Amino acid sequence: MPSPTASNTSSLPAPQQVAILTQKLYDPDSNIRYMSLKDLLTLLNSNAAAFLQQDYDQCAKTVQGFLHTLNDTNGEVQNLTIGCLGPFAVKADPTLLCPLIHKIANLTTENAVDSSISAMAVRAVVVALPRPTPSTIRSKPVNDSYDAISRVLIPRLVGRFVLPKQAVKGNPQPPKGLLVADMEQGIDNGSLDVLIEVVRCYGPILDSMEVSALQSISIELLGSRKTSSVMKKKAVAALSALSLHFSDEALSQVITQVLQNLTNPHLIASDRRLWIGVFGSLARSIPTKFGPNLKTLLPFVYSALSQGEIDDQAIRASEDEEIDPAADEVRETALFTLDSFLSSCEQDMLGQDQECVDVALRLLKYDPNVAMMDGDEDPDLLSEPDEFGSDEDFEEEGGADNEDDLSWKVRRSAAKLLQTIVSIRGRLLLENPELFDRIARALVDRFQEREETVRLEILRTLDLLIKSTSDDIEQLHALVANSIEEHLPPAGQTRKRRRGQSDASIHEAVKSRRLTGSVSPESWTPPLNESTANFRKVGSDIVRGTLRLAKSSTPATKQAAVSTLKDFIVARHGGLNDRMGEAFELLVNSIKPDNNGPLALTSASGTNLQIESLKLLSAMVKTHPSQDLEPFLGAIIRSVAHAAQASSPRTSCEALRSAEQLIKALTPPRAAHTKTKSAERLLQLRSTIVDLITAKSADLATRQQAIAVLGTMLGRTMNNHGSKMMSPTVKTQTFDLLSDTLRNETTRLASITAINTIGRLAPPQPDVDANWLGKTCLELGSQLRKADRSLRTRSLATLRTFITDRNCSSSLDKTSAKQLVELLIPLLTSEDLQLVGPTLTILTSMLQDADTQFALQHDFVRALCLLLTSQHASVLQEPLCDIVDVVGRHGASRPLMQSLLKDVGISGNPTVVGKVIGALAVASGNQADVKVNDFLSELKTTEDDQRKCLALSVLGEIGLRSGSSSSLSAPLFSDYFMNSSYDVSMAAAIALGQAAAGSGNAKSYVPIVLQKAGSQQQGDQYLALHSVKEILQHNDSIHDLSPYSQSMWSAAVQSSTSEDNRTIGAECIALLAMLDPDTYLQAIQDLLNDSAISKRSSAILALRDVFTNTDTSYNKHLRPLSTEVLMSSMRDSAIDNRRSALNTFNAAARNKPELVMPHIQTLFPLVLEQAHEDPSLIREVSMGPFKHKVDDGLEVRKSAYETLYSLLEGSPSRLDPAALLDRTIAGISDEASIRSISFLMILKLALIAPELTASRLDSMTDRFRQVLGVTLKDTAVRHEHDRANEAKRGVIKLSMELTRIFPDAIGTGQGRVPWTGYIEDLKKDYGNLVRDAERELIDRT
């Protein structure tokens, strides 16, 4: 609703509106003054105020009005005036800026209660003015703004002219500085806030004299006795903001001043705390510049934490009978500073780890009011019944009895320091068993901590230490699985992964069975190294201590203890041993709390503890053998059933997840022998799940989770042993319930997922009711027409699971099969490739088992022909050949062959169409009315190149499938090598290779191929290599090719010296190594040492294919040499080879992590080195009158960043997070693709190493500002504008994501002034984009 003043003036011109509103600022009625200011603010925020720049007199009158309302007695009027000053300063005449700032800064507010009004008004003006942007030329408004700040505000703050040009004769000296006045009075009037804003907004362009003046006054404020603690904190924040613009000399001067104060013999504890805190603030602000000074500064920090000072304090306390709390505050600050050194300057702190650990462990048990253990006590004392006071909880108030005792702050800071050490130096701890053991035992010993905040930090630190070992356990499981599978027989599988197919390895099967609970886990995990071995030894103390805390402590500690125990069990893959009964008793009381029990909680705190307890239960059931769980299952199932009925959906869903783990433990094959009790318990769980699904009051998320668990239960009871656990009647009722939920719109997607789970867990050709299967398949088929893509893809995947993977097509009746085919055929012409492939696979299975008449249907033939003419055909050639092969073998090939020849022909890809026609011709025999001679005649008589390609492709496929029974010969194909058409010659080469790969054809074909490969004509070599590739691809064994393999190797190596032949030659080398690793892997390694760059390049490319296209049974050949070849290739002198080597390493990290990750400490620095920009690779190229810079190292850096991202995804805890984060931050200002990868890596590191990432937020701001400040030339094309805008959107999205992850980073309390200012500027300058990013973030979460 418009204000009364607005309705009276809105029809007037803007100048008159401002004049009228300015007059009303003097009205005696405060409401009129307030509404006038509100209307004035609206006018100033509109474009109508542009006239102000031309009307100096009106601007001056408005300033006087603002000065009057700033001195108003009404606080709301004052606040609104401050709000008007910002937009007014931007819209007013630039020549008015200096008078405006001068008058506001000198304003004395006689009527105001708040003495900081003047400073708040100046701050509002400073924030609103235009400011410089990195990497851009300063505009005139920015220069005008800085000029006003430099001429008026900075002298007013410090009380003197700073620049020589200001101190001209006749220019009156400024009055006493605002900061000086505040310092003398000891009152915070907001002047420090103004200083911080000046530095934040204009720091990059401040003169060195101005920086020095502001630095000096900040140091004076810190050293003044009159300055309050609040002002000193702000002064530290100001010094931290200024430090970003310090020269080396200025920084040295500040450090010298601080050290002089620290060495003052009359230094008091509060000042000592302040000066030590300054070091921490500077370390966080300018870690790179500040780090080299740590060797000088560390002794002062260690001195404040020394045992000698603690002993002296104890002596004085015994004499005075009281403890000085200021000494403990000094230790707290010193520990926080040491933490900052470690997290911000980790490279400069190398070698200080042992000292930091010693300090942290000593102060972790620092408690002068309690007789502490000396650290060598018997750990068995933890088991004393009264140690934690089992009959009474820890103190609920969160503080010690003595209000003056601040020692708990020291212990809390020591625990946080240990957290930082574990987070940053986790890999070092794993390699130092003694140090690892000391930290773990010290943390466990401090479970008896009486202060809750300290206790929680101890548990968090221990939790982080536990998680740091989890990667080693995963590595152990991978090594064990690989060592088993490498000695298993191949079972019909080859080491090669077929092109276009997915070959699930034995390792994946073993891993899948463990993840799904199909096999019972081992009762303990053998140690991988000394550190994890020691951790296993201290594990019993961890279990005992966390269980005791979970029984007798405050709610927050109970939850933390349960969470720590859960992570311990997950990391150790079990480990409860003889404490299992105690743990299950705890869980029963926690999941279903007794009002009189040890875990009786209020509803507010009980939900979170219940959820954590259910997660612990899931981990215990998942990681311990079924026979060990047997005695406790009855009570646990009752508790889980009770929790599943909870009113909180979070609790219910977590209880259902626990029920799913219990189902896996109760059913075969984990439960070796089906027992009556197991069947009864399974039915109890079923009853709970069914009740939740059918309950109308149940939350939708709970119902969906219950349906998913029901699918697991049905799938686990489909095998021979499991089927006995559920009667046929009950099973029928359960399947019918699932059918009902499938027809429900809200539960349909969850039901489809559950049915898919049943199919994946069921054995081949499961005993499933044919009527249910038919109805379900038709219901799933009907979903294929829906617009929801996720619904379509999941429905199709479920159909494929049952019909193809579980071979259930024979169980479908003819009517259901026919209707399902009618639903599937339209998908063959879909543009969605993810739908077409599975559809072909399903139809192929149905052709083999069901009535084949649909193969004769016109719709099916037409759809298949349309598919062959689409762009998807080349990707789907394998399934297409499979389906026509089945059609041909079932005698239904004639109509399909006629349509392929008549309707498709050369309108599709000749290579794919030819393979399909050839497959159909061989499978159908003579039933298709097409003979080989027909294609031979077509090849010889046609003049159309496309038809020749088609004929050659058909003949090649016939030769491959018919083998030696075919009448074809090698010259038939090789004669076309010299054809003038490239397409014809390539088709001939591929067809020759396919025919040569046919059974029994090697002897007559391969010599001719090798003859062509040895030709002096490069074209023949290139084509012959393609033939060799086809031969090797279609052979599963080297046996038939052994007489020719060495010749193939020589031809591939020799031909690849030509750049045109290098890629195809490398593929041939890789295929030979896959077929005969004992011979050719070593040969590849020898090639890496060859003097020829081209041969080394071929070897590196071949290794990439080997790492990508082999399964885990091949690992035993790669393991002895993988690290050596990767290191050798990444150190290659040729830049292109190094890029290929990085791509090879990337392929190895993604496909063979079990080979790479154990040696990542050696390989990671090599990748990191390639991610740096090399100035020697940047050259300048002349393009007419213009000079253009070309970075020859760009592609190498791209590959390096891609590899770093793969390593971060695969095993983040094995990397050096600090070095990785620094390189990632550097990538923000690099090329667009590198920037995008850097954004993703920063987000991952923010979750993996939050403390480290938070410490780097300030250093990110400059990079972000550089991207946001990019200014394009007037001649820039649209693509350049789009790329720049996309970069800005990426920076804003990442900034908002980091703000969500680190909400405490906003503000000056942690010394992160640059980050705080950056976020404020972002919201001001890019408000719309920020709001879009925030909305997107909310939608995603």
Side-chain angles (χ1 to χ4, degrees), residues 13 85 91 95 117 144 194 262 361 458 512 529 537 573 587 603 721 807 969 1091 1110 1117 1157 1176 1183 1240 1331:
L85 282 170
K91 299 289 179 66
T95 59
I117 288 294
D144 292 339
V194 176
L262 281 173
L361 293 182
I458 289 170
S512 174
N529 56 34
K537 295 175 184 176
H573 202 69
L587 290 176
S603 58
H721 296 289
N807 198 18
S969 61
S1091 59
T1110 55
H1117 303 289
M1157 293 308 171
S1176 64
M1183 300 180 66
L1240 296 175
R1331 285 188 289 272

Side-chain angles (χ1 to χ4, degrees), residues 190 383 425 451 458 586 634 653 655 673 677 735 773 797 879 910 951 1036 1055 1058 1102 1154 1194 1218 1250 1269 1329:
S383 61
R425 310 290 196 210
E451 170 60 39
I458 289 170
L586 167 74
C653 290
H673 303 287
K677 285 187 177 180
F735 273 106
L773 179 64
D1036 295 333
S1055 300
S1058 169
E1154 62 276 8
L1194 177 59
L1329 292 178

Side-chain angles (χ1 to χ4, degrees), residues 15 34 45 75 151 188 213 282 310 330 747 755 793 826 842 867 977 1032 1079 1096 1123 1139 1195 1297 1323:
Y34 178 83
N45 285 327
R151 289 173 54 192
D188 181 18
L282 292 176
I310 294 176
V330 172
T747 57
I755 295 171
T793 53
I842 294 170
L867 178 58
F977 273 30
L1032 296 174
T1079 302
R1096 298 200 304 272
T1123 305
R1139 180 196 175 193
E1195 296 302 321
E1297 188 77 46
K1323 293 180 178 179

Side-chain angles (χ1 to χ4, degrees), residues 1002 1037-1048 1076 1080:
S1037 172
I1038 197 67
H1039 180 266
D1040 293 340
L1041 300 175
S1042 56
Y1044 316 104
S1045 60
Q1046 189 58 47
S1047 299
M1048 289 181 177
D1076 189 2
Y1080 294 111

Side-chain angles (χ1 to χ4, degrees), residues 590-782:
S590 177
I591 297 170
K592 185 182 178 182
D594 182 2
N595 291 333
N596 299 319
L599 290 174
L601 302 169
T602 62
S603 58
S605 59
T607 299
N608 289 334
L609 179 58
Q610 234 180 343
I611 291 172
E612 285 298 327
S613 300
L614 287 165
K615 290 179 180 178
L616 172 59
L617 171 62
S618 298
M620 290 172 61
V621 175
K622 185 177 181 179
T623 57
H624 289 83
S626 296
Q627 59 268 25
D628 294 348
L629 305 174
E630 177 64 29
F632 316 103
L633 288 177
I636 284 295
I637 287 175
R638 288 191 294 272
S639 299
V640 170
H642 181 273
Q645 303 291 339
S647 57
S648 169
R650 292 174 56 225
T651 305
S652 297
C653 290
E654 198 59 53
L656 287 167
R657 295 186 189 99
S658 299
E660 186 172 18
Q661 294 299 328
L662 288 167
I663 290 169
K664 293 176 181 179
L666 288 170
T667 53
R670 269 193 66 175
H673 303 287
T674 304
K675 300 180 180 179
T676 305
K677 285 187 177 180
S678 296
E680 293 175 356
R681 290 165 178 165
L682 191 68
L683 290 177
Q684 286 180 330
L685 290 171
R686 177 196 172 276
S687 177
T688 301
I689 295 167
V690 169
D691 289 344
L692 286 173
I693 295 174
T694 56
K696 295 182 179 179
S697 59
D699 183 79
L700 178 59
T702 302
R703 295 181 66 200
Q704 291 174 341
Q705 185 65 44
I707 292 169
V709 178
L710 188 66
T712 302
M713 177 183 290
L714 289 172
R716 301 278 295 194
T717 55
M718 292 288 285
N719 54 46
N720 294 332
H721 296 289
S723 60
K724 301 176 183 178
M725 303 185 72
M726 195 179 293
S727 67
T729 303
V730 173
K731 185 173 290 188
T732 301
Q733 293 173 352
T734 309
F735 273 106
D736 290 342
L737 175 61
L738 199 57
S739 297
D740 293 338
T741 59
L742 179 61
R743 290 189 289 270
N744 189 312
E745 189 70 32
T746 59
T747 57
R748 178 172 293 147
L749 201 58
S751 302
I752 293 172
T753 304
I755 295 171
N756 193 21
T757 302
I758 295 172
R760 288 189 296 106
L761 295 176
Q765 293 185 328
D767 183 16
V768 61
D769 181 68
N771 184 37
W772 179 86
L773 179 64
K775 290 181 178 179
T776 301
C777 287
L778 290 178
E779 184 66 30
L780 292 171
S782 65

Side-chain angles (χ1 to χ4, degrees), residues 748-816:
R748 178 172 293 147
L749 201 58
S751 302
I752 293 172
T753 304
I755 295 171
N756 193 21
T757 302
I758 295 172
R760 288 189 296 106
L761 295 176
Q765 293 185 328
D767 183 16
V768 61
D769 181 68
N771 184 37
W772 179 86
L773 179 64
K775 290 181 178 179
T776 301
C777 287
L778 290 178
E779 184 66 30
L780 292 171
S782 65
Q783 307 307 318
L784 301 176
R785 300 177 178 177
K786 299 294 178 65
D788 189 342
R789 186 174 185 274
S790 62
L791 189 64
R792 297 199 309 271
T793 53
R794 291 196 193 185
S795 299
L796 195 62
T798 305
L799 284 171
R800 179 176 179 177
T801 299
F802 273 94
I803 294 177
T804 302
D805 299 344
R806 293 297 171 259
N807 198 18
C808 291
S809 57
S810 58
S811 301
L812 289 174
D813 59 90
K814 291 184 178 182
T815 303
S816 299

